[in-house]
Amino acid sequence: MEDIAVKVLLIGDEEVGKTTFLSRISRGSNNLEGHGSITLLRDIDQPFVFEIRNRRRGYRIEFYDTSSPEDWRLLEPDLILICYDISQRSSLVNMQRLWIKQVHATFQASDRIPLIVVGLKRDLRSESDPNGIIYPQEAYNVSQEMRVDKYVECSAVTGELLKLAFEEICDVAVKTATPDGGQTEGGCVIL
């Protein structure tokens, strides 16, 4: 049986950590704990392909970052990850004001495409900047307002929550290939 291809699009501001996230997970499940250095992937090598198997079949998960495809708006993604930098309030605001609107304006089937908000650079969350700090509950509330399916956060540099975030993304990606699809039954799930 041939592997099922699932297209995953990462969108968000520049420098929020999308490439670092993809670079870390590209090194395999043994490197999800954040050990070792990260060699950044090159945008021209997209899509970044990950093959996973469950008991029933194999899946070819193709990750696309907005920084490389000539026009990412021409892609037909099965899952969209809206990424923001936990240490930069402006990226949270842009996610809410710009990126979710881009999704709905660009993709005709946006009401059927599962959406996951991914908080990146968790290791840079700083208690010393009370105005800039974004706590998980605040980002979760924003995610609920945006009506996304899940909220996850992690650090690709330290590996904190990276394995859990990657597993959740893969779980939703696999579900997009089922008749029920990958969307949740109403409400955002925080992980």
Side-chain angles (χ1 to χ4, degrees), residues 52-108:
I52 61 172
R53 300 199 67 75
N54 65 16
R55 292 183 196 142
R56 288 174 245 133
R57 63 179 321 143
Y59 298 87
R60 176 186 162 92
I61 302 179
E62 302 171 356
F63 286 87
Y64 293 86
D65 185 355
T66 52
S67 59
S68 179
E70 288 288 318
D71 189 354
W72 58 268
R73 291 165 182 86
L74 299 177
L75 291 174
E76 295 179 12
D78 300 299
L79 170 62
I80 297 175
L81 307 180
I82 305 173
C83 304
Y84 81 99
D85 177 346
I86 288 173
S87 68
Q88 297 294 320
R89 182 159 297 279
S90 62
S91 71
L92 179 74
V93 170
N94 285 343
M95 177 184 73
Q96 188 177 19
R97 292 184 183 165
L98 171 72
W99 292 106
I100 192 68
K101 290 178 182 175
Q102 285 284 327
V103 167
H104 293 302
T106 303
F107 302 107
Q108 297 277 331

Side-chain angles (χ1 to χ4, degrees), residues 20-39:
T20 304
F21 172 77
L22 289 171
S23 298
R24 175 64 76 190
I25 62 175
S26 73
R27 298 194 60 214
S29 61
N30 294 337
N31 291 293
L32 294 178
E33 302 300 324
H35 304 296
S37 62
I38 301 173
T39 303

